[in-house]
Amino acid sequence: MDFDLLRFAAGYPYNLDFDYGALSQLQHFSINNLGDPFIESNYGVHSRQFEVGVLDWFARLWEIERDEYWGYITNCGTEGNLHGILMGREVFPDGILYASRESHYSVFKAARMYRMECVKVDCLTSGEIDCSDLKKQLLANKDKPAILNVNIGTTVKGAVDDLDLVIKTLEENGFPQDRFYIHCDGALFGLMMPFVKRAPKVSFKKPIGSVSVSGHKFVGCPMPCGVQLTRMSHIKVLSSNVEYLASRDATIMGSRNGHAPIFLWYTLNKKGYKGFQKEVQKCLRNAHYLKDKLRDAGISAMLNELSSTVVFERPHDEEFVRRWQLACQGNIAHVVVMPNVTIEKLDGFLEELAEKRKLWYKGSGGDGVAPSPPCVAVDIGSENCDCGLHK
Amino acid sequence: MDFDLLRFAAGYPYNLDFDYGALSQLQHFSINNLGDPFIESNYGVHSRQFEVGVLDWFARLWEIERDEYWGYITNCGTEGNLHGILMGREVFPDGILYASRESHYSVFKAARMYRMECVKVDCLTSGEIDCSDLKKQLLANKDKPAILNVNIGTTVKGAVDDLDLVIKTLEENGFPQDRFYIHCDGALFGLMMPFVKRAPKVSFKKPIGSVSVSGHKFVGCPMPCGVQLTRMSHIKVLSSNVEYLASRDATIMGSRNGHAPIFLWYTLNKKGYKGFQKEVQKCLRNAHYLKDKLRDAGISAMLNELSSTVVFERPHDEEFVRRWQLACQGNIAHVVVMPNVTIEKLDGFLEELAEKRKLWYKGSGGDGVAPSPPCVAVDIGSENCDCGLHK
């Protein structure tokens, strides 16, 4: 298997940048961060200093003071969503959860786990939340507080919900700041967005309650992990019922992998803000290259402005899909352009796809028997569709 | 720090047995088991074969057919409890959760997360659930199904709830098998118990719904992990609402560490049933040695019959507690005797404790000013207490 292809799938890297020589020695130790990173534990082999260092880094990135945030390094993006949405429910026990249809499935799983009323909001073709539908849904449920999941990069299309417009929609429709809670699911793009020029800011200076991001995608940690940050004032709500919980531990998992914080800390400090900025710019440039080349070749494709996820027609052949580790949904597939995906790699992919399409769609449009490229207008808009009808 | 001491704390090992030479190479790969281990994913670098192999091993241990179980490798014992209790709630949406006061705090956290009614049941001095109190609580709530957390080794005292007596109590008090769900929290002892002669069996031949166990304690996996097994028939209840969940993923976390299954698989197969049996017997033998020596030295101590957790008076000095990585609660401390804790290590501990006690309790009982050893009769029974009053 060509491991370099893996980032094609969903942003999971085979990371070439780590100095494993030194770090791999860590595997000799059972490092376990038990419970709350800010509360001392009796277990001696932990990496809480690194964990707090990583959290401080993200606190600076998302603009919240050190003494005003609480957070921890999670096992994955899903745990961040589970925590953020639980936080919202604890702040507003009778709140309704609003999430766009293209939100990650863990959001709807959380609603079921937590026995929350959940409203699915429509999306624009881009995959962004449709704020006119959000308005309609909010007005239909004016009597209950709103808990919102805002996507900073949806799973399939990499769409970034317009946080400012979501806040405006809330405030203009009878939901002042003390009647809503916003969790930002930043799985992949939560870390990339801050380095994109002109991108709307994810910031705790805005009335948001929590942000989560994956650590094993763009950052490239070799084990699944994530970062979850929220406001100290919210966590107090969760931790208040100590007698009931029999613990001051406000995390979801009790034991947490202690290696992940060290890998994260190492990468964040080695690359630095400047290093990430450079990598993000490269990803966006290469994603544009891929999208343009696809369109030039007459292949349906879309790229959201703030994203490095290129969405295109699902390849006809499952063998091709497997070989290139493409994630598919219905008639579309996507490539998440991560730092290790080079122009050369993309050229190889484009060339092979063009060759294969000639075989798959040979004689298409003629006798009506040979298969034609799928119409994906409903998925990515007719302006991006190159099917027989829309080209 | 003397890493050999770590198992003193809570069963977290510094593991000497792994052949890290080969396995540490794995760290070069981002191995991620996405979602349900039995459903294929589009991400190529996974270790599902190992995961299923480990699950099969535990299925044999806990006596359930391969086509009748469902399970996965979790991030930790807490995730197993969260999953097992969620399973119970999905089977009985209006069920009441019963758990003994000495259950792990994640059980009570689950009740809060899942918005379940929760009844705390009293314990015997040993730490086992008090089935006469359970009966009383059941009779007071006869109208609702019962969801039980049964401890196979409590956190502090290593007490094993009497599963057979719990089932009998349920059945004799108006709860036939179709009105209860039992989750067995086997965190530490779930894996040891099957190798203890005369121990009551944890088995799916009994009417239990799920069992969870930690993988980073007795097995010695160098990252937090656990195993969760349940019945296929139950998981179908959880997975039924696919449209709502937008996924067939019945795990709690979406992304899961793919290294852990490989470590687990390797250890299980290297040691084998016989190897585990030998280690368990050694642990129990050494735990008895420690308890006897403590009592001989006039120190309050208790050891449950099926356990390798020795409970004793809390050392007077916090420095001593830290140095030996002891977990404390109120007036008691405990040592979890794991395979790496040798007689020599225990002798060193006993010697140092005896020396220190001479200093701490010098002149005690005389002028009433010097500190005395704490009375722990309420914690471990007056027969095990060696304080001024009970000795």
Side-chain angles (χ1 to χ4, degrees):
Chain A
M1 173 176 296
D2 180 350
F3 286 105
D4 254 8
L5 299 187
L6 289 172
R7 278 188 176 164
F8 266 55
Y12 301 108
Y14 164 57
N15 202 294
L16 302 162
D17 302 334
F18 281 131
D19 175 8
Y20 285 104
L23 287 183
S24 67
Q25 293 301 315
L26 287 171
Q27 210 169 46
H28 289 258
F29 302 101
S30 178
I31 312 179
N32 189 340
N33 290 354
L34 283 165
D36 192 311
F38 299 97
I39 298 176
E40 217 186 317
S41 142
N42 75 312
Y43 181 63
V45 187
H46 62 78
S47 61
R48 279 145 192 267
Q49 315 91 313
F50 292 93
E51 184 170 19
V52 173
V54 169
L55 296 174
D56 282 348
W57 195 94
F58 280 93
R60 273 200 308 279
L61 190 69
W62 294 328
E63 306 187 312
I64 185 165
E65 295 296 322
R66 281 175 76 162
D67 57 348
E68 284 177 12
Y69 84 80
W70 181 91
Y72 72 105
I73 294 184
T74 58
N75 285 294
C76 57
T78 289
E79 187 175 351
N81 287 343
L82 291 182
H83 195 275
I85 292 166
L86 181 60
M87 201 63 37
R89 195 202 68 180
E90 295 296 297
V91 173
F92 296 118
D94 64 335
I96 295 176
L97 177 63
Y98 298 83
S100 85
R101 294 186 185 284
E102 302 202 13
S103 301
H104 189 253
Y105 71 80
S106 59
V107 172
F108 304 107
K109 183 151 77 174
R112 177 162 170 173
M113 278 171 67
Y114 301 151
R115 293 187 154 165
M116 297 168 77
E117 207 178 319
C118 178
V119 171
K120 283 192 180 177
V121 182
D122 288 339
C123 284
L124 306 174
T125 308
S126 66
E128 280 173 65
I129 192 167
D130 177 354
C131 281
S132 68
D133 188 51
L134 175 61
K135 175 181 173 174
K136 210 170 71 188
Q137 306 286 0
L138 287 169
L139 290 177
N141 296 287
K142 278 194 96 155
D143 54 324
K144 289 188 179 163
I147 298 162
L148 274 102
N149 177 70
V150 168
N151 296 307
I152 310 302
T154 58
T155 317
V156 176
K157 296 179 182 172
V160 177
D161 291 345
D162 187 336
L163 176 60
D164 296 327
L165 186 58
V166 166
I167 294 171
K168 193 162 164 263
T169 306
L170 283 160
E171 291 179 339
E172 289 181 356
N173 292 285
F175 292 84
Q177 292 190 12
D178 61 353
R179 290 198 69 225
F180 69 80
Y181 179 99
I182 293 177
H183 169 69
C184 296
D185 174 8
L188 174 56
F189 291 107
L191 180 53
M192 296 177 72
M193 282 268 296
F195 302 109
V196 180
K197 282 176 203 152
R198 292 185 310 277
K201 248 190 180 172
V202 172
S203 164
F204 279 94
K205 289 186 178 162
K206 299 176 182 177
I208 61 171
S210 45
V211 187
S212 62
V213 71
S214 287
H216 54 293
K217 293 175 181 169
F218 187 69
V219 189
C221 193
M223 62 281 281
C225 64
V227 172
Q228 162 73 353
L229 235 65
T230 183
R231 294 178 193 277
M232 184 72 89
S233 51
H234 293 327
I235 211 67
K236 282 182 183 151
V237 175
L238 194 70
S239 311
S240 63
N241 207 330
V242 175
E243 162 60 21
Y244 186 86
L245 283 178
S247 145
R248 283 171 64 209
D249 177 13
T251 68
I252 290 194
M253 294 297 136
S255 292
R256 291 172 300 106
N257 187 314
H259 293 94
I262 301 176
F263 277 96
L264 286 175
W265 184 89
Y266 176 81
T267 313
L268 295 179
N269 284 288
K270 193 175 164 206
K271 291 193 179 165
Y273 279 64
K274 282 240 182 280
F276 279 110
Q277 192 161 36
K278 236 173 100 181
E279 289 205 333
V280 169
Q281 282 164 358
K282 181 182 156 197
C283 291
L284 294 182
R285 215 163 41 231
N286 290 355
H288 272 279
Y289 176 85
L290 173 60
K291 191 265 286 174
D292 291 344
K293 287 282 175 183
L294 285 166
R295 300 293 281 120
D296 290 350
I299 301 168
S300 308
M302 177 184 83
L303 172 62
N304 277 308
E305 196 197 338
L306 303 170
S307 168
S308 73
T309 299
V310 178
V311 183
F312 60 103
E313 62 167 49
R314 182 185 191 136
H316 186 69
D317 180 24
E318 283 308 307
E319 176 51 36
F320 182 88
V321 165
R322 243 195 319 279
R323 180 169 138 62
W324 289 91
Q325 290 275 304
L326 302 171
C328 298
Q329 189 178 78
N331 279 333
I332 55 173
H334 78 191
V335 163
V336 183
V337 179
M338 287 282 105
N340 68 329
V341 176
T342 59
I343 294 285
E344 293 68 42
K345 182 68 66 185
L346 293 174
D347 281 340
F349 171 75
L350 286 159
E351 201 175 313
E352 194 177 317
L353 180 60
E355 285 298 315
K356 293 281 183 187
R357 285 179 97 249
K358 279 186 204 153
L359 297 174
W360 300 334
Y361 304 128
K362 194 175 166 185
S364 117
D367 55 6
V369 175
S372 315
C375 173
V376 292
V378 67
D379 301 294
I380 60 176
S382 54
E383 70 280 16
N384 298 311
C385 184
D386 242 318
C387 79
L389 187 67
H390 294 105
K391 75 178 163 193
Chain B
M1 174 174 296
D2 180 352
F3 286 104
D4 255 8
L5 299 186
L6 290 172
R7 277 187 176 164
F8 265 57
Y12 301 107
Y14 164 58
N15 201 294
L16 303 162
D17 303 333
F18 281 129
D19 174 9
Y20 285 103
L23 287 184
S24 66
Q25 293 302 313
L26 287 172
Q27 211 169 45
H28 289 258
F29 302 101
S30 177
I31 311 179
N32 189 340
N33 290 354
L34 283 164
D36 192 311
F38 299 97
I39 298 175
E40 217 186 317
S41 142
N42 74 313
Y43 181 64
V45 186
H46 62 78
S47 61
R48 280 145 192 267
Q49 313 92 313
F50 291 93
E51 183 170 19
V52 173
V54 169
L55 296 174
D56 282 348
W57 196 94
F58 280 93
R60 273 199 309 279
L61 190 69
W62 294 328
E63 305 186 310
I64 184 166
E65 294 297 321
R66 283 175 74 162
D67 56 349
E68 283 176 14
Y69 84 80
W70 182 92
Y72 72 105
I73 294 184
T74 59
N75 285 293
C76 57
T78 290
E79 187 175 351
N81 288 342
L82 291 182
H83 195 274
I85 292 166
L86 181 60
M87 200 65 34
R89 194 201 68 179
E90 295 295 296
V91 174
F92 297 118
D94 63 335
I96 294 176
L97 177 63
Y98 299 82
S100 85
R101 293 185 186 283
E102 302 202 14
S103 301
H104 189 254
Y105 71 80
S106 59
V107 171
F108 305 106
K109 183 151 76 172
R112 176 159 170 177
M113 278 171 66
Y114 301 151
R115 293 188 152 162
M116 295 168 77
E117 209 178 316
C118 179
V119 171
K120 282 192 180 177
V121 181
D122 288 340
C123 284
L124 306 174
T125 307
S126 66
E128 278 174 68
I129 190 167
D130 178 354
C131 281
S132 69
D133 189 52
L134 175 61
K135 175 180 173 174
K136 210 170 69 187
Q137 306 287 0
L138 286 170
L139 291 176
N141 296 286
K142 278 194 97 156
D143 54 324
K144 289 188 179 165
I147 298 162
L148 274 104
N149 177 70
V150 168
N151 297 308
I152 311 302
T154 58
T155 317
V156 176
K157 296 180 184 171
V160 177
D161 291 346
D162 187 336
L163 175 60
D164 295 329
L165 186 57
V166 166
I167 294 171
K168 194 162 163 263
T169 306
L170 282 160
E171 291 179 338
E172 288 180 357
N173 293 286
F175 292 84
Q177 293 190 12
D178 61 353
R179 289 197 70 226
F180 68 80
Y181 179 100
I182 293 177
H183 169 68
C184 296
D185 174 7
L188 175 56
F189 290 108
L191 181 54
M192 296 177 71
M193 282 271 293
F195 302 109
V196 180
K197 281 175 204 153
R198 292 185 310 276
K201 247 189 181 174
V202 172
S203 163
F204 279 95
K205 288 185 178 163
K206 299 176 182 176
I208 61 171
S210 45
V211 186
S212 61
V213 70
S214 287
H216 54 290
K217 293 174 183 170
F218 186 70
V219 189
C221 193
M223 62 282 281
C225 64
V227 172
Q228 162 73 354
L229 234 64
T230 183
R231 294 178 194 277
M232 184 71 89
S233 52
H234 293 326
I235 212 66
K236 281 181 184 154
V237 175
L238 194 70
S239 310
S240 64
N241 207 331
V242 175
E243 162 60 22
Y244 186 86
L245 283 178
S247 145
R248 284 171 63 209
D249 178 13
T251 68
I252 289 193
M253 294 296 135
S255 291
R256 290 172 300 105
N257 187 316
H259 294 94
I262 301 177
F263 277 97
L264 286 175
W265 184 89
Y266 176 81
T267 313
L268 295 179
N269 284 288
K270 194 175 163 205
K271 291 194 180 166
Y273 280 64
K274 281 240 181 282
F276 279 111
Q277 192 161 36
K278 237 174 99 179
E279 289 203 333
V280 168
Q281 283 164 358
K282 181 182 157 197
C283 290
L284 294 182
R285 215 162 42 232
N286 289 354
H288 273 278
Y289 176 84
L290 173 60
K291 192 264 288 174
D292 291 344
K293 287 282 175 185
L294 284 166
R295 299 293 281 121
D296 290 351
I299 300 169
S300 308
M302 175 183 83
L303 171 62
N304 277 308
E305 197 197 336
L306 302 170
S307 170
S308 72
T309 300
V310 178
V311 183
F312 60 103
E313 64 168 46
R314 182 185 191 136
H316 187 70
D317 179 24
E318 283 308 307
E319 177 50 35
F320 182 88
V321 165
R322 243 196 318 278
R323 180 167 137 62
W324 289 90
Q325 290 276 303
L326 302 171
C328 298
Q329 189 179 77
N331 279 333
I332 55 173
H334 78 190
V335 162
V336 183
V337 180
M338 287 282 106
N340 68 328
V341 176
T342 59
I343 294 284
E344 292 69 43
K345 182 70 64 185
L346 292 173
D347 282 339
F349 170 75
L350 286 159
E351 199 175 313
E352 193 176 317
L353 180 60
E355 284 299 314
K356 293 281 182 188
R357 283 179 98 250
K358 279 186 206 153
L359 295 174
W360 300 334
Y361 304 128
K362 195 174 166 184
S364 114
D367 55 7
V369 174
S372 316
C375 172
V376 291
V378 68
D379 300 294
I380 60 175
S382 54
E383 70 279 17
N384 297 312
C385 183
D386 242 318
C387 78
L389 188 66
H390 295 103
K391 75 178 162 192

